[in-house]
Amino acid sequence: MMEPHIIQLPKLLDPRGNLSFIEENHHIPFKIERTYWIYDVPGGETRGGHAYKTLQEMVVALSGSFDVVLHDGREERRFHLNRSYYGLYVPSMYWRSMENFSTNSVALVLANEVYDEKQYIRDFEAFKLAKQ
Ligand code: TYD
């Protein structure tokens, strides 16, 4: 299974305004079945706090900045996203939280499956047991 990693997206610098894009199976290592976005996060709030059984995601800070904190059951890694041309690949079976959202930040999330609550592990102890 792939590790979490930052993917640099195409960036077309233009005096009229910059442009970046994502094509499935090209800039992102899966077929996109769903996209959602998180916005208007009040200061100090944390989103996430769960793992997915088989779902994979890519997270992009379209605007502003925030941290994605990933735990593999043994240790934690923090990724600070603050550029709209970087995506963070989040494999399945990583405990993921998102925090330190800046004012007006927007987190775009691309996923390889449609929403299904059965994908979620919402108990950290159960997650750690499943990782063993
Ligand atoms: P959840 O994934 O738990 O949010 P976060 O990880 O950011 O804290 O989702 C919150 C609620 O939104 C949950 O009741 C399910 C619903 N939801 C959908 O209906 N579709 C979706 O694509 C997502 C991501 C969530």
Side-chain angles (χ1 to χ4, degrees):
M1 192 181 72
M2 270 187 289
E3 297 280 314
H5 60 278
I6 295 286
I7 296 171
Q8 177 142 16
L9 300 167
K11 177 175 60 164
L12 301 182
L13 297 180
D14 191 309
R16 299 170 301 156
N18 301 335
L19 183 149
S20 290
F21 56 94
I22 298 170
E23 294 175 356
E24 70 181 12
N25 294 323
H26 190 191
H27 309 106
I28 182 170
F30 54 76
K31 181 164 167 36
I32 301 162
E33 288 288 344
R34 173 169 54 114
T35 184
Y36 62 94
W37 47 99
I38 296 168
Y39 54 96
D40 288 349
V41 179
E45 285 292 344
T46 296
R47 300 282 323 202
H50 49 65
Y52 304 115
K53 293 173 187 165
T54 61
L55 185 95
Q56 306 162 61
E57 289 183 335
M58 181 152 105
V59 184
V60 181
L62 274 193
S63 178
S65 66
F66 50 84
D67 293 343
V68 182
V69 185
L70 299 180
H71 202 295
D72 66 4
R74 287 186 305 118
E75 52 190 36
E76 181 178 286
R77 283 175 72 186
R78 178 177 296 267
F79 295 86
H80 182 63
L81 298 183
N82 62 352
R83 294 280 182 266
S84 58
Y85 50 85
Y86 285 129
L88 173 65
Y89 171 69
V90 181
S92 55
M93 288 305 285
Y94 273 77
W95 190 264
R96 123 153 135 59
S97 302
M98 297 166 69
E99 57 191 42
N100 292 329
F101 287 88
S102 69
T103 305
N104 290 330
S105 55
V106 179
L108 176 74
V109 186
L110 308 164
N112 72 329
E113 295 181 27
V114 297
Y115 172 74
D116 181 357
E117 183 58 34
K118 291 195 288 295
Q119 268 295 328
Y120 286 71
I121 303 174
R122 293 192 183 272
D123 180 81
F124 189 61
E125 293 307 315
F127 164 71
K128 282 201 291 189
L129 274 177
K131 284 290 273 190
Q132 282 173 2

